[in-house]
């Protein structure tokens, strides 16, 4: 989405400098400054709020050192390439200062890779009741030879569990965040595993080797009673077997040889091979799991995501993003539309744990068709977990809210895995309970929870994250990135758009 302003918005006046921030893709922004006064200094401050992934009981933040080549690498013979070379010269002096403040609701430890940062505290509590830790890092020119900065915050002795947080902003706006961790017994079904591997030109070099390494780990770890197949693609695609085969010594040897012979080159068309897989008949008693290994460098990724959403009854989709510049839009989009899960791996990262994580999730039972009903009153009861075959038991009065939850629809929940949902609420009319409904492996499931509305935190984080998950709403997008620019003028005032 891009934000439209009148021409006067970009005009210079009253010693102020205006600017325009445009979002080209969900993870790419471009900032255009208005006219600057001679010899002036301009400071730009961007505030961006996003949900961080949780891996192995730790919160992970990755800070890239470069703009991903999928967006910024023009052909060698075009004028834009020459201009880019003039604008970005890392041989010149370059220094970046990073200040980190980590806040969580439980005590934690924080580490940074590949740079060492000395963090202070981690078990200290601030005025709002949050545990916090602070640290700083200065990067010189040579630091940018590293591929990215990874910050990992590990919770000591606790897992991330189910909870409800309610937030109120200074403008009397209220939002809630709900985390759910469904628990079901081990799934009892035969799996049909199909691997879709990107071997297009953008995967040339270390990326295709990383994809092949991941595929070898998958192949060595498959359940002994599963059926499987491999499809690789660039501008065209081909399958290892004409149809899925039993997992045995012979088919495993064929699969390993097929994997070793993969070479990267050509265009990228993921739509056709994905659709071909979905149109194949699933074996009796089997459940299909599709694993997509890609850097996501495709045009019109939303077409593939929408197509996957039409075939949710034909199988689940799990995606592994390869490389620092893997497209979040495609990798996350395929997994969300396909009721699966997505993980990302850098070229320098050990991927064994992430491969096994995706594989284990594919073997878990899940909670689908999840709905939230916020209750203005409740019938006398404690928190209830019940299983019912039809209908929806009357537990209280359901509130009518102006906005849907985000993301919408609510993604598939995996057994023992954390899912997060956001909801805007009405100030002065807070719910007293929440009914969560969905379909589990043995039928419909309902959870009723009492809410303690006396514990409301003062913040804006949930509102902004809710806005990001509701990405179709341009107004929310505009609130999600706070944009400020300041010129070296006499009044030194901020110009906020």
């Amino acid at each position: 989405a891009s934000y439209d302003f009148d021409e006067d918005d970009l005009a210079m006046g009253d010693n102020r400098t205006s600017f325009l921030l445009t979002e080209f893709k969900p993870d790419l922004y471009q900032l255009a400054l208005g006219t600057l006064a001679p010899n002036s200094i301009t400071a730009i401050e961007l505030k961006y709020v996003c949900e961080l992934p949780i891996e192995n009981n730790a919160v992970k933040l990755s800070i890239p050192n470069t703009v991903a080549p999928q967006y910024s690498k023009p052909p060698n013979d075009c004028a834009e390439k020459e201009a880019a070379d003039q604008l970005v010269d890392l041989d010149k002096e370059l220094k970046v200062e990073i200040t980190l403040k980590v806040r969580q609701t439980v005590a934690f430890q924080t580490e940074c890779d590949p740079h060492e940062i000395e963090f202070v505290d981690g078990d200290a509590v601030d005025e709002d009741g949050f545990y916090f830790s602070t640290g700083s890092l200065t990067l010189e020119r040579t630091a940018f030879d590293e591929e990215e900065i990874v910050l990992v915050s590990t919770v000591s002795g606790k897992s991330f569990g189910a909870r409800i947080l309610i937030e109120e902003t200074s403008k009397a706006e209220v939002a809630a965040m709900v985390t759910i961790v469904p628990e079901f017994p081990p799934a009892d079904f035969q799996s049909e595993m199909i691997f879709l591997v990107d071997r297009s030109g953008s995967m040339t070099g270390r990326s295709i080797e990383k994809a092949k390494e991941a595929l070898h780990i998958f192949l060595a770890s498959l359940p002994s009673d599963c059926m499987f197949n491999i499809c690789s693609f660039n501008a065209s695609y081909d399958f290892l077997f004409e149809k899925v085969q039993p997992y045995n010594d012979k088919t495993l040897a064929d699969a390993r040889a097929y994997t070793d012979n993969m070479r990267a080159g050509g265009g990228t068309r993921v739509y056709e091979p994905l659709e071909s897989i979905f149109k194949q008949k699933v074996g009796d008693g089997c459940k299909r799991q599709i694993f997509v290994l890609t850097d996501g460098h495709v045009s019109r990724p939303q077409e593939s995501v929408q197509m996957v959403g039409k075939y949710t009854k034909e199988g689940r989709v799990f995606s592994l993003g390869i490389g620092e510049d893997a497209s979040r839009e495609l990798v996350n989009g395929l997994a969300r539309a396909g009721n699966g899960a997505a993980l990302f791996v850098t070229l320098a990262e050990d991927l064994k744990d992430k491969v096994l994580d995706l594989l284990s999730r594919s073997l878990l039972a899940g909670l689908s068709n999840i709905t939230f009903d916020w209750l203005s009153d409740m019938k006398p009861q404690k928190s209830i977990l019940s299983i019912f075959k039809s209908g929806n038991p009357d537990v209280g009065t359901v509130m009518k809210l102006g906005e849907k939850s985000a993301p919408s629809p609510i993604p598939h929940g995996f057994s023992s895995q954390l899912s997060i949902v956001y909801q805007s609420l009405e100030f002065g009319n807070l719910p007293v309970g929440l009914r969560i409904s969905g379909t589990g492996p043995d039928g419909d499931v309902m959870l009723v929870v009492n809410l303690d509305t006396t514990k409301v935190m003062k913040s804006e984080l949930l509102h902004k994250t809710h806005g990001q998950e509701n990405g179709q709403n341009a107004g929310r997008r505009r609130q999600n990135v706070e944009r400020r620019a300041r010129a070296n003028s006499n009044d030194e005032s901020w110009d906020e758009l």
Side-chain angles (χ1 to χ4, degrees):
S2 62
Y3 310 115
D4 299 324
F5 298 90
D6 295 331
E7 292 183 3
D8 292 340
D9 288 329
L10 290 178
M12 182 175 178
D14 299 329
N15 291 323
R16 295 186 177 188
T17 297
S18 299
F19 64 94
L20 176 65
L21 182 68
T22 304
E23 181 184 16
F24 289 98
K25 294 185 178 182
D27 50 2
L28 178 65
Y29 298 87
Q30 185 177 67
L31 182 67
L33 285 172
T35 305
L36 297 178
N39 300 317
S40 62
I41 297 176
T42 298
I44 305 296
E45 179 181 325
L46 300 179
K47 290 186 178 180
Y48 186 78
V49 177
C50 66
E51 188 177 293
L52 298 179
I54 298 173
E55 300 176 6
N56 298 323
N57 206 34
V59 178
K60 179 179 179 181
L61 170 64
S62 300
I63 305 174
N65 283 340
T66 60
V67 177
Q70 71 180 95
Y71 303 120
S72 63
K73 192 175 184 180
N76 290 327
D77 57 350
C78 73
E80 287 81 357
K81 176 66 166 60
E82 182 179 351
D85 289 342
Q86 294 175 357
L87 289 173
V88 183
D89 185 0
L90 290 183
D91 290 333
K92 297 182 179 179
E93 182 179 353
L94 178 65
K95 182 167 67 174
V96 175
E97 295 181 356
I98 300 175
T99 301
L100 300 164
K101 182 176 182 180
V102 185
R103 301 171 76 222
Q104 294 191 165
T105 55
V106 294
F108 61 92
Q109 296 175 336
T110 306
E111 298 178 351
C112 184
D113 181 59
H115 309 281
E116 291 187 4
I117 302 179
E118 183 176 348
F119 285 92
V120 180
D121 295 319
D123 55 359
V125 180
D126 63 16
E127 64 276 6
D128 296 321
F130 285 90
Y131 292 87
F132 72 93
S133 179
T134 58
S136 61
L137 175 68
T138 300
L139 300 179
E140 304 290 347
R141 161 68 186 91
T142 55
F144 288 84
D145 294 334
E146 304 289 349
E147 287 165 337
E148 69 175 356
I149 303 167
V150 179
L151 185 71
V152 178
S153 182
T154 305
V155 174
S156 302
K158 282 195 176 184
S159 298
F160 294 91
R163 67 176 60 196
I164 299 177
L165 294 178
I166 299 179
E167 170 191 87
E168 180 183 329
T169 71
S170 58
K171 297 180 181 179
E173 297 173 329
V174 182
M177 180 184 77
V178 182
T179 63
I180 55 177
V181 187
E183 295 284 352
F184 297 112
D188 184 19
F189 56 80
Q190 185 180 21
S191 293
E192 180 181 292
M193 309 289 199
I194 301 182
F195 300 93
L196 182 60
V197 185
D198 185 351
R199 52 176 170 83
S200 63
S202 62
M203 294 284 289
T204 300
R206 296 173 65 192
S207 293
I208 189 63
E209 295 305 316
K210 203 72 173 178
K212 291 160 66 173
E213 179 187 353
L215 185 52
H216 275 302
I217 296 174
F218 273 118
L219 292 172
S221 310
L222 293 178
S224 59
D225 64 343
C226 79
M227 309 288 285
F228 82 106
N229 202 353
I230 302 174
C231 175
S232 64
F233 70 95
N234 47 26
S236 60
Y237 63 93
D238 62 69
F239 286 88
L240 167 61
F241 306 116
E242 289 187 7
K243 60 181 181 179
V244 293
Q245 296 294 313
Y247 180 69
N248 55 42
D249 290 343
K250 182 182 183 307
T251 55
L252 176 58
D254 292 341
R256 286 173 170 167
Y258 178 86
T259 301
D260 289 336
N261 289 329
M262 283 186 191
R263 299 292 183 269
T268 310
R269 297 183 65 88
V270 70
Y271 186 102
E272 289 82 0
L274 259 177
E275 186 178 44
S276 174
I277 292 172
F278 280 121
K279 287 184 175 180
Q280 296 174 13
K281 184 179 179 181
V282 183
D284 293 339
C286 286
K287 290 192 176 181
R288 176 181 290 153
Q289 322 291 338
I290 303 171
F291 299 87
V292 182
L293 283 62
T294 180
D295 60 7
H297 297 190
V298 303
S299 58
R300 300 187 298 275
Q302 280 304 317
E303 292 183 5
S304 298
V305 172
Q306 292 169 5
M307 181 268 293
V308 168
K310 297 177 182 178
Y311 286 98
T312 52
K313 294 183 179 180
E314 308 303 322
R316 296 190 295 187
V317 177
F318 299 82
S319 48
L320 182 66
I322 307 289
E324 287 75 15
D325 58 340
S327 170
R328 264 61 180 170
E329 181 180 13
L330 180 74
V331 175
N332 285 327
L334 292 178
R336 178 173 291 182
N339 288 332
L343 292 175
F344 295 84
V345 61
T346 67
L347 297 180
E349 190 175 1
D350 184 358
L351 50 66
K352 182 177 180 180
D353 287 344
K354 293 189 176 182
V355 168
L356 297 180
D357 187 356
L358 277 184
L359 184 60
S360 65
R361 293 193 198 196
S362 73
L363 302 175
L364 294 173
L367 185 65
S368 59
N369 304 318
I370 303 173
T371 59
F372 281 11
D373 293 312
W374 298 87
L375 307 174
S376 59
D377 61 68
M378 295 178 61
K379 294 184 176 180
Q381 58 196 351
K382 296 182 179 180
S383 294
I384 296 175
L385 174 62
S386 64
I387 297 178
F388 52 95
K389 296 301 181 184
S390 62
N392 214 346
D394 181 17
V395 294
T397 304
V398 177
M399 302 174 66
K400 294 183 178 180
L401 300 176
E403 291 191 41
K404 294 181 178 180
S405 58
S408 180
I410 298 173
H412 190 92
F414 293 93
S415 181
S416 304
Q417 300 290 332
L418 185 75
S419 297
I420 303 177
V421 182
Y422 303 90
Q423 177 69 60
S424 288
L425 301 173
E426 183 180 344
F427 180 75
N429 187 26
L430 295 181
V432 299
L434 171 63
R435 178 176 64 194
I436 304 172
S437 305
T439 303
D442 297 319
D444 294 332
V445 179
M446 178 187 71
L447 172 66
V448 180
V449 182
N450 295 301
L451 301 184
D452 183 359
T453 56
T454 62
K455 297 180 179 179
V456 178
M457 66 178 187
K458 303 292 184 180
S459 175
E460 295 184 356
L461 290 178
L462 300 187
H463 284 77
K464 292 175 182 177
T465 313
H466 176 241
Q468 178 140 354
E469 291 291 343
N470 266 332
Q472 301 300 319
N473 187 325
R476 285 288 183 182
R477 282 283 194 189
R478 187 171 176 178
Q479 294 175 10
N480 194 39
V481 181
E482 297 183 6
R483 305 166 302 278
R484 299 185 175 96
R486 177 174 64 182
N488 185 20
S489 59
N490 292 332
D491 61 3
E492 295 188 349
S493 59
W494 289 91
D495 183 18
E496 296 190 22
L497 300 182

